[in-house]
Amino acid sequence: QVHLEESGGGLVQPGGSLRLSCTATGSSFHNIYIAWYRQAPGKERELVASSDSDGSTFYLDTVKGRFTISRDNRKSTVDLQMNSLKPEDTARYSCFAMQLGRTAWGQGTQVTVSS
């Protein structure tokens, strides 16, 4: 099984930046679809950004131009660089991976954007 662990969350002021990291163990990133989701209290979990094995990426419209997903297959890590953070970005961010039909979730890391 694949184990995912996130890091990098914290409390920042609006306009600030954070870089989230997700490290995968138990599998290489070969043929892995990996994504960042977020969920705020009382709201549905939503896909923020994803990176597929073919190099394709997806971004939620509200984060385009502010967030960047990147992966390092050699290190089995995926990062989410978050700039110009807004209070609306406050949520628990979780790493998700799928490989050969099997899925895994990380425990998540809290991001709070507040003055």
Side-chain angles (χ1 to χ4, degrees), residues 19-22 36 68-72 77-81:
R19 188 176 184 91
L20 307 182
S21 295
C22 175
W36 285 97
T68 302
I69 190 170
S70 60
R71 65 192 288 164
D72 188 333
T77 59
V78 61
D79 291 353
L80 185 69
Q81 178 65 46

Side-chain angles (χ1 to χ4, degrees), residues 76-96:
S76 296
T77 59
V78 61
D79 291 353
L80 185 69
Q81 178 65 46
M82 305 185 296
N83 299 325
S84 302
L85 284 163
K86 305 174 180 179
E88 295 76 24
D89 296 318
T90 296
R92 188 166 186 84
Y93 287 70
S94 299
C95 185
F96 168 84

